Amino acid sequence: RTQALLEENMAHADEGLELSAAAAARLATIDDGVRRVAEALAAVAEGSAQQRDAIGQINEGLAQLNDLT
């Protein structure tokens, strides 16, 4: 009887290890996805800043044209 309980507990422990490993793999996948989203957001922010600067230059050029006319 004791041997059967020990074997059952070992089987549960092995199952727990497998579940832990699967959860760790899923968390690693999620972490990778979050990292890629963060990189994409940083690229969008950089692009937005470049657009802002370009629009500022256009506005400055238009103001200079208005001064000439």
Side-chain angles (χ1 to χ4, degrees):
R1 173 95 174 116
T2 302
Q3 181 67 28
L5 287 173
L6 288 173
E7 288 174 3
E8 184 179 341
N9 284 334
M10 289 297 292
H12 287 296
D14 288 341
E15 183 180 341
L17 287 173
E18 290 174 10
L19 291 172
S20 293
R26 288 186 182 123
L27 287 173
T29 300
I30 291 169
D31 184 56
D32 184 51
V34 168
R35 187 175 301 113
R36 286 184 296 180
V37 169
E39 290 170 358
L41 289 175
V44 168
E46 182 179 341
S48 295
Q50 290 174 355
Q51 285 180 340
R52 181 199 62 226
D53 293 345
I55 290 170
Q57 290 174 353
I58 290 169
N59 286 337
E60 186 177 316
L62 290 173
Q64 290 174 356
L65 285 174
N66 282 337
D67 289 343
L68 293 175
T69 58

